[in-house]
Amino acid sequence: MDDVATNRIVMKVRLRNAHYQVLQASDGRTALEVARAERPDLILLDMGLPDIDGTDLCRMLKSGRETASIPLIVVTAGRAPETKMRALEAGADEFLSKPLDEMILLARVRSLLRARETAEELALRNGTDQVLGFGEAAPGFIPPGLVALIASDPRRARAWRAALVPQISDSLTVLSRAEALNPVPGAPRPDVYVVDADLSPEGAGLRLVSELRAHPGSRDAAILIVVPESARETAAMALDLGANDLIADPMDAQELALRIKMQIRRKTQSDRLRATLEDGLRLAVTDPLTGLFNRRYALPHLARIAERAAETGRSFALMILDIDRFKLVNDRYGHGSGDAVLVEVARRLKENLRAIDLVARIGGEEFLVALPETDTDRACTAAERLRQAIECRPVALPGGAGEIRVTISVGVALGDGRRLMSGAPDIDAQVRGLMDQADRALYGAKAAGRNTVEMSRSAA
């Protein structure tokens, strides 16, 4: 979103070269209409639009039901600290000054899209839980967090803490790199790590980002890295290694406080998602053998995916998968071996899907997979990837009884969000029709000799 055509063209070329699809708007009102209608995965917004102040447009986007969860990068020719603060306070996720550094821009885009995927998954899971009668709306209250400050010099970290104390209500603690990686047993784990990129020896700051992401006790925490303004390669690498946010050094304490609050808010969302999946609800909606979701969960969640597609006009894919000649496995090797096959097939399916995708066991040897925001080509590619993942190596049988070759047949149907929007209001009926299409495609795959993928020729 930029009022200067040349800027829009340059930005479009940069993003398309990185394999992103790009929509454009030359003024604020058009931008709002495009954002509400198309639900982009990320918005880049120039502050100098001709009709709406960029800060006001930030607030409109972040307050709208359709656009609130879309990550927002503000781009401007100005570098004034007060301009940056206004944008961040209005809800911008990042503030970049022109001329844009392509390396930093693309690293930022990748990082924010990863965060968006978590938010999208949370929204889908919560919607399904509420339909099942188990979930409640996530509370708006964000509890105080614990923030760990890790600097190249303890005096520098203490100076950070002194500057932050008047700005935030969260608890602050100064840690060394060793203390961050080897916490006291039973001690509370930080929600946010603020890490100095200039830790000694050289490169230790980036290594710490990677180590925190790999450590079970800190992998879910937010990481904010402090990087010298000129260290563009370090900044881009930090984001790709797993840092959630950057702040330029020398830094402004008010900006750092705002960024910390933003990361605590996002981490709270992620924690709620994990808690939902790990609590007693799991027993009610998962298959006890494979650990996948069961039919009770899958069908209402599939309806939520269809509703989202109807709202956005984007398509989604539905697959019905069946293990070929599974009865022979039970008859020849026993039900224990059959169970081992089911568990391994479930594991491979889950390993080859995105976090936002749905995979469920809906029958004895039958599985359902749903892929939000997926077109025909991507659906066929994903189905073939799953088929190959099952066929690629045999499954070990329990008790040292050898190995067995397993294959699956896959039926694929596509739900067209644009047709769902203009069709009957009964989403559940349309989902059942889509499942029938996938079932018929599965029968076609079986008839074609099994171990194959068949695409339904009908559209939802």
Side-chain angles (χ1 to χ4, degrees):
M1 302 176 185
D2 195 310
D3 62 332
V4 179
T6 304
N7 291 343
R8 295 198 305 272
I9 292 169
V10 171
M11 183 71 74
K12 181 177 181 179
V13 169
R14 286 177 170 177
L15 293 171
R16 282 199 166 174
N17 286 342
H19 306 288
Y20 295 109
Q21 295 180 354
V22 181
L23 302 170
Q24 298 184 78
S26 59
D27 58 72
R29 288 183 176 83
T30 304
L32 274 175
E33 292 173 3
V34 171
R36 289 165 178 166
E38 300 294 335
R39 301 283 187 88
D41 297 307
L42 183 141
I43 295 173
L44 287 100
L45 168 66
D46 192 283
M47 291 288 277
L49 295 173
D51 56 341
I52 301 176
D53 177 75
T55 303
D56 291 337
L57 185 54
C58 281
R59 292 194 181 95
M60 293 177 190
L61 289 165
K62 287 300 181 180
S63 62
R65 185 179 64 86
E66 304 95 337
T67 55
S69 65
I70 301 174
L72 180 58
I73 298 178
V74 165
V75 179
T76 182
R79 290 178 174 269
E82 57 269 22
T83 304
K84 177 187 286 191
M85 291 305 300
R86 283 203 313 272
L88 293 174
E89 288 170 347
D93 295 271
E94 182 51 291
F95 180 98
L96 299 176
S97 297
K98 299 176 184 177
L100 290 176
D101 184 306
E102 185 170 350
M103 181 185 296
I104 298 296
L105 169 65
L106 295 179
R108 264 298 186 195
V109 168
R110 290 191 294 269
S111 176
L112 287 170
L113 288 177
R114 287 194 300 270
R116 171 87 193 279
E117 184 171 309
T118 298
E120 288 289 290
E121 184 183 1
L122 176 64
L124 282 172
R125 301 296 186 203
N126 281 347
T128 303
D129 294 342
Q130 290 177 39
V131 169
L132 289 171
F134 296 119
E136 297 180 358
F141 173 70
I142 305 297
L146 175 60
V147 181
L149 307 174
I150 307 167
S152 53
D153 185 321
R155 290 172 296 182
R156 178 170 161 87
R158 288 194 290 271
W160 290 353
R161 182 173 62 185
L164 284 170
V165 165
Q167 306 284 344
I168 60 177
S169 59
D170 306 287
S171 299
L172 300 165
T173 183
V174 172
L175 297 178
S176 67
R177 176 176 174 274
E179 289 169 335
L181 294 175
N182 299 283
V184 176
R189 299 296 177 90
D191 298 291
V192 179
Y193 292 87
V194 179
V195 177
D196 194 342
D198 285 337
L199 293 180
S200 297
E202 185 177 354
L206 291 179
R207 285 198 300 274
L208 180 57
V209 172
S210 181
E211 289 163 340
L212 289 171
R213 278 284 166 258
H215 197 284
S218 55
R219 66 165 57 112
D220 297 322
I223 302 174
L224 195 157
I225 192 159
V226 182
V227 187
E229 194 165 0
S230 59
R232 50 190 293 274
E233 291 187 5
T234 300
M237 191 176 299
L239 290 169
D240 285 336
L241 285 172
N244 301 87
D245 205 354
L246 302 172
I247 187 164
D249 188 26
M251 63 186 177
D252 178 88
Q254 187 180 2
E255 179 187 347
L256 177 58
L258 267 178
R259 292 184 182 276
I260 287 172
K261 290 173 185 176
M262 185 186 303
Q263 293 306 321
I264 288 176
R265 185 164 60 248
R266 287 179 180 166
K267 181 178 182 293
T268 301
Q269 289 183 323
S270 298
D271 288 346
R272 287 170 181 162
L273 171 60
R274 284 188 295 275
T276 298
L277 296 177
E278 292 169 1
D279 64 12
L281 175 62
R282 179 183 295 276
L283 298 176
V285 299
T286 57
D287 170 50
L289 177 63
T290 64
L292 298 180
F293 290 113
N294 58 21
R295 178 182 287 268
R296 184 184 189 191
Y297 183 93
L299 298 185
H301 187 65
L302 182 58
R304 302 291 77 70
I305 292 174
E307 287 176 353
R308 180 71 58 83
E311 291 174 358
T312 62
R314 297 180 181 180
S315 58
F316 68 98
L318 171 65
M319 304 178 197
I320 304 293
L321 304 80
D322 187 89
I323 300 175
D324 296 326
R325 297 187 172 91
F326 182 71
K327 185 175 184 300
L328 293 178
V329 177
N330 280 332
D331 292 346
R332 183 175 299 175
Y333 300 100
H335 288 281
S337 295
D339 288 349
V341 167
L342 289 167
V343 169
E344 179 62 14
V345 167
R347 186 186 68 79
R348 295 185 195 181
L349 293 176
K350 194 169 184 180
E351 280 184 351
N352 284 276
L353 292 167
R354 303 169 298 179
I356 198 172
D357 297 332
L358 169 69
V359 56
R361 182 186 176 199
I362 59 172
E365 65 269 27
E366 196 170 59
F367 299 83
L368 178 148
V369 171
L371 288 74
E373 300 187 5
T374 301
D375 58 21
T376 301
D377 290 342
R378 291 179 180 177
C380 291
T381 299
E384 181 62 22
R385 183 175 69 247
L386 295 177
R387 187 197 66 77
Q388 292 178 9
I390 304 305
E391 183 193 32
C392 68
R393 62 185 184 277
V395 175
L397 299 180
E403 297 178 328
I404 183 173
R405 180 176 179 269
V406 177
T407 63
I408 59 171
S409 298
V410 186
V412 185
L414 197 72
D416 188 332
R418 291 167 298 182
R419 296 186 64 180
L420 285 167
M421 274 195 294
S422 60
D426 187 352
I427 287 288
D428 291 336
Q430 294 179 77
V431 166
R432 289 193 295 271
L434 196 64
M435 290 186 67
D436 288 342
Q437 293 174 29
D439 260 329
R440 288 194 294 270
L442 173 61
Y443 296 146
K446 294 285 190 183
R450 299 181 173 85
N451 190 26
T452 189
V453 173
E454 185 77 16
M455 183 77 191
S456 171
R457 301 305 170 192
S458 303

